[in-house]
């Protein structure tokens, strides 16, 4: 497969590879319904026809605010069939975040589910400032027509009674999806991908990670509104592995599906794997690949225990700009190395990697940490309606500066260390804050720690934020003394600040700690003479 792929080409490949006698379903819904390749092809064509009825044309944007349901994928493939673009909205978002995506994308149609048990989406839509959203002209709910909201009728997003639009209009160069960046330091930007970048990446992942092997079964628990959830799902579709849908992750249903369907592929956060392992260590006994992202501090020992017990855990790397599952650590590596972020690129020699020293501007040799840069046909097309932001991270030769600290191993793999801004250069040494955090968390009064670097008296010094262990009250002086007894002097926090909770932000992949806000808090405390 090459970079001229479209979403229709993914469906065509599934139709070709399907056995007429017993085709693998594309989806298995939570209630057990099977959606065959032919049925999904028809569903995508009907979604395209429905979008046309709503006045959606080539280049138009539609916002999809849905959990992991078949309608989500039908709308994506249907939009692709007519050259329209899906702006993916996180179901955890609320009015302000929804407003930002609708305004930034210029979406003319918003599709949502009104009966979601976790939130009142209709009420949040009603709270939007319509005067600031001139492009939004239509609303639709997958669970039925509703009374008008702010003068906009809410139509029923139903297309099973329509004649499907045939394939033939889609172009590989068509923009097809907009994803939000995490937005931990500023308003999130919209990352634009074309049909070619997403479809090629899906095909590459299917081959690289065994989605195309007999017996492969994929559990889709990460939300489709982010690349982590969507890329893995597209890879399963491209490879022929049935996608078992979870509308939202919950341990009980995940365990039931994992055992009943003999799940072989699952991708999620470290905390998801911890919860499943704690509840039933045998649930993923048929797993071939369990890719995880390290979102939760302090789980290293638990992950090592799980991997050493035989769970095929592997650290991975991804970003909205270069797709999730961009790389995964090979299973052949020792456990310690296999659990590091990074790995071998899923697209193999189609992509190029390099690491640059952010201070000198020189390229780093293997083993030396710097900022990771990536070039390849699966990179994003740019930030939507934001050429200035695009120019800041993509050079004239197409290299994307990730802003992530990493180093190359010299064997085609790399190790992701952290967001570059999260790393601290202390006394001239590039220091991973996790090293300090792990030591602090061994103090009996601390359950979790976060360390940031701030300028204090002309030098970068670490500041620690800690959450109390149950029944304890952290003693900053005692924590400093404990750290000094275990680490080099320059790694000892100049200040320890107890908190009830870390500041966080929602993303498509889960909750993320706002390091930038912690740095601001540390600077304010130091400036106040603390």
């Amino acid at each position: 497969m090459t970079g001229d792929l479209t979403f229709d080409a993914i469906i065509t490949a599934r139709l070709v590879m399907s056995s007429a006698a017993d085709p693998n379903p594309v989806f298995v819904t939570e209630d057990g319904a099977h959606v065959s390749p032919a049925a999904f092809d028809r569903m995508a064509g009907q979604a395209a026809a429905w979008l046309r009825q709503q006045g959606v044309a080539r280049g138009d944007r539609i916002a999809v605010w849905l959990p992991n349901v078949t309608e989500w994928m039908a709308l994506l493939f249907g939009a692709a069939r007519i050259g329209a673009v899906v702006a993916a909205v996180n179901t955890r978002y609320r009015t302000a975040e929804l407003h930002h995506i609708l305004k930034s994308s210029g979406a003319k149609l918003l599709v949502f589910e009104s009966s979601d048990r976790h939130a009142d989406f209709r009420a949040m839509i009603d709270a939007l400032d319509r005067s600031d959203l001139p492009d939004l002209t239509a609303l639709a709910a997958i669970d039925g027509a509703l009374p008008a909201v702010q003068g906009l009728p809410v139509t029923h997003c139903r297309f099973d009674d329509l004649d499907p639009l045939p394939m033939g209009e889609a172009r590989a160069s068509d923009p097809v999806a907009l994803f939000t960046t995490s937005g931990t330091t500023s308003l999130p930007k919209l990352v634009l991908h074309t049909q070619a970048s997403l479809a090629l990446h899906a095909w590459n992942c299917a081959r690289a990670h065994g989605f195309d092997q007999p017996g492969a079964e994929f559990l889709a628990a990460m939300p489709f509104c982010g690349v982590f959830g969507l890329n893995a799902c597209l890879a399963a579709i491209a490879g022929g592995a049935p996608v078992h849908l979870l509308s939202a992750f919950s341990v009980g249903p995940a365990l039931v599906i994992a055992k009943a369907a003999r799940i072989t592929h699952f991708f999620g956060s470290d905390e998801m794997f911890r919860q499943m392992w704690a509840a039933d260590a045998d649930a993923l006994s048929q797993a071939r690949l369990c890719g995880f992202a390290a979102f939760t501090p302090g789980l290293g020992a638990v992950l090592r225990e799980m991997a050493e017990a035989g769970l095929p855990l592997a650290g991975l790397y991804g970003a909205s700009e270069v797709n999730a599952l961009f790389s995964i650590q090979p299973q052949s590596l020792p456990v310690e190395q296999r659990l590091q972020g990074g790995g071998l690129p899923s697209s193999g020699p189609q992509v190029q990697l390099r690491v640059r020293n952010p201070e000198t501007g020189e390229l780093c040799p293997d083993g030396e940490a710097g900022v990771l840069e990536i070039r390849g046909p699966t990179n994003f097309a740019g930030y939507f309606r934001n050429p200035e932001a695009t120019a800041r991270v993509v050079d004239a030769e197409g290299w994307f500066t990730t802003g992530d600290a990493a180093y190359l191993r010299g064997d085609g793999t790399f190790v992701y260390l952290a967001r570059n801004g999260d790393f601290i250069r202390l006394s001239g040494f590039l220091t991973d804050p996790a090293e300090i955090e792990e030591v602090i968390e061994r103090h009996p009064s601390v359950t979790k720690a976060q360390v940031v670097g701030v300028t204090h008296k002309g030098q970068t010094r670490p500041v620690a934020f800690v959450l109390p262990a149950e029944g304890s009250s952290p003693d900053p002086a005692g924590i400093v003394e404990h750290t000094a007894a275990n680490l080099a002097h320059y790694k000892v926090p100049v200040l320890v600040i107890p908190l009830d909770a870390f500041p966080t932000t929602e993303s498509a992949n889960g909750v993320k700690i706002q390091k930038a806000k912690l740095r601001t808090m540390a600077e304010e405390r130091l400036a106040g003479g603390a």
Side-chain angles (χ1 to χ4, degrees):
M1 294 285 183
T2 64
D4 59 358
L5 286 170
T6 63
F7 274 55
D8 278 343
I10 294 177
I11 293 181
T12 298
R14 278 303 299 269
L15 292 170
V16 170
M17 74 174 71
S18 295
S19 162
D22 186 25
N24 272 347
V26 177
F27 298 110
V28 180
T29 66
E30 286 187 88
D31 60 6
H34 285 212
V35 180
S36 70
F40 183 61
D41 174 36
R42 179 174 178 81
M43 188 181 295
Q46 290 174 319
W50 181 83
L51 289 169
R52 276 276 174 79
Q53 280 189 352
Q54 312 313 306
V56 177
R58 177 177 296 279
D60 285 342
R61 279 79 58 201
I62 65 167
V64 175
W65 200 16
L66 296 173
N68 289 5
V69 291
T70 53
E71 288 90 345
W72 207 114
M73 281 293 165
L75 287 166
L76 176 65
F77 277 78
R81 189 163 293 192
I82 62 174
V85 183
V86 166
V89 186
N90 189 344
T91 53
R92 297 184 180 185
Y93 281 177
R94 296 302 178 253
T95 299
E97 296 151 316
L98 173 65
H99 184 279
H100 173 70
I101 293 174
L102 292 173
K103 182 177 180 179
S104 299
S105 67
K108 66 186 304 180
L109 167 67
L110 171 63
V111 181
F112 65 102
E113 182 181 36
S114 65
S115 61
D116 186 277
R117 63 185 182 276
H118 299 295
D120 188 343
F121 290 129
R122 189 178 184 280
M124 287 184 275
I125 295 169
D126 195 33
L128 290 170
D129 180 4
R130 280 282 317 287
S131 66
D132 198 36
L133 299 171
D135 297 305
L136 183 64
T137 57
L139 301 172
I142 64 169
D143 45 351
L146 297 170
V149 179
Q150 295 197 42
L152 288 179
V154 182
T155 61
H156 188 185
C157 177
R158 178 184 175 185
F159 35 77
D160 56 2
D161 58 346
L162 298 178
D163 292 331
L165 288 184
M167 299 182 186
E169 291 188 32
R171 299 191 292 253
S173 59
D174 285 339
V176 70
L178 294 168
F179 302 99
T180 54
T181 56
S182 60
T184 56
T185 58
S186 61
L187 284 174
K189 299 179 286 292
L190 296 184
V191 175
L192 177 65
H193 275 281
T194 64
Q195 295 202 35
S197 63
L198 292 183
L200 177 60
H201 186 62
W203 176 254
N204 289 339
C205 287
R207 292 185 302 172
H209 308 312
F211 287 101
D212 59 349
Q213 295 303 302
E217 304 276 346
F218 171 61
L219 174 58
M222 295 298 291
F224 295 155
C225 58
V227 289
F228 201 177
L230 184 65
N231 289 144
C233 184
L234 292 177
I237 296 173
V243 177
H244 296 264
L245 294 172
L246 266 180
S247 58
F249 177 76
S250 180
V251 175
L255 293 174
V256 170
I257 294 172
K259 298 180 79 167
R262 301 171 66 86
I263 291 297
T264 61
H265 291 69
F266 179 47
F267 299 86
S269 69
D270 45 7
E271 176 63 12
M272 286 181 177
F273 284 105
R274 185 202 66 77
Q275 290 182 28
M276 292 180 68
W277 183 265
D280 187 345
D282 294 325
L284 290 169
S285 62
Q286 302 301 311
R288 303 172 188 173
L289 181 58
C290 293
F292 76 93
F295 293 151
T296 309
L299 291 186
V302 176
L303 295 171
R304 284 192 296 273
E305 176 187 337
M306 293 159 62
E308 288 168 353
L311 190 68
L313 281 172
L316 43 74
Y317 175 80
S320 297
E321 292 87 347
V322 298
N323 287 306
L325 278 63
F326 172 83
S327 61
I328 298 179
Q329 297 289 4
Q331 290 288 321
S332 58
L333 291 176
V335 167
E336 289 290 337
Q337 296 180 38
R338 201 177 86 213
L339 297 182
Q340 294 175 306
L344 184 70
S346 304
S347 295
Q350 294 177 4
V351 300
Q352 298 169 280
L353 306 175
R354 66 190 186 191
V355 173
R356 189 179 299 279
N357 186 312
E359 297 176 351
T360 68
E362 299 295 322
L363 292 179
C364 297
D366 294 342
E368 181 179 310
V371 178
L372 179 66
E373 298 178 0
I374 297 172
R375 180 169 68 178
T378 53
N379 280 14
F380 74 134
Y383 297 117
F384 187 63
R385 293 177 172 175
N386 199 339
E388 297 82 6
T390 304
R392 285 195 292 270
V393 296
V394 181
D395 69 13
E397 296 179 339
W399 286 93
F400 167 60
T401 300
T402 65
D404 293 329
Y407 64 85
L408 305 178
R409 286 197 180 114
D411 60 357
T413 68
F414 71 99
V415 174
Y416 164 76
L417 298 170
R419 288 293 300 171
N420 186 51
D422 293 345
F423 254 61
I424 313 170
R425 189 170 291 278
L426 303 172
S427 296
F429 298 99
L430 198 63
T431 304
D432 185 350
E435 178 187 3
I436 307 173
E437 292 161 2
E438 288 179 7
V439 170
I440 293 174
E441 288 168 0
R442 292 203 292 267
H443 191 278
S445 69
V446 175
T447 180
K448 296 292 182 184
Q450 288 289 295
V451 173
V452 297
V454 297
T455 301
H456 180 60
K457 297 181 179 178
Q459 292 183 313
T460 300
R461 299 293 303 277
V463 171
F465 293 85
V466 298
L467 303 184
E470 186 175 356
S472 296
S473 179
D475 171 26
I479 293 169
V480 169
E481 182 179 351
H482 162 78
T483 310
N486 289 278
L487 292 174
H489 69 91
Y490 63 85
K491 297 178 184 176
V492 177
V494 67
L495 181 65
V496 174
I497 305 173
L499 295 176
D500 293 328
F502 297 132
T504 60
T505 186
E506 297 279 4
S507 78
N509 300 324
V511 177
K512 294 185 178 181
I513 295 172
Q514 292 182 297
K515 288 277 194 176
K517 185 167 289 187
L518 290 176
R519 279 191 287 272
T520 299
M521 293 166 62
E523 289 167 353
E524 291 173 349
R525 286 288 296 272
L526 288 172

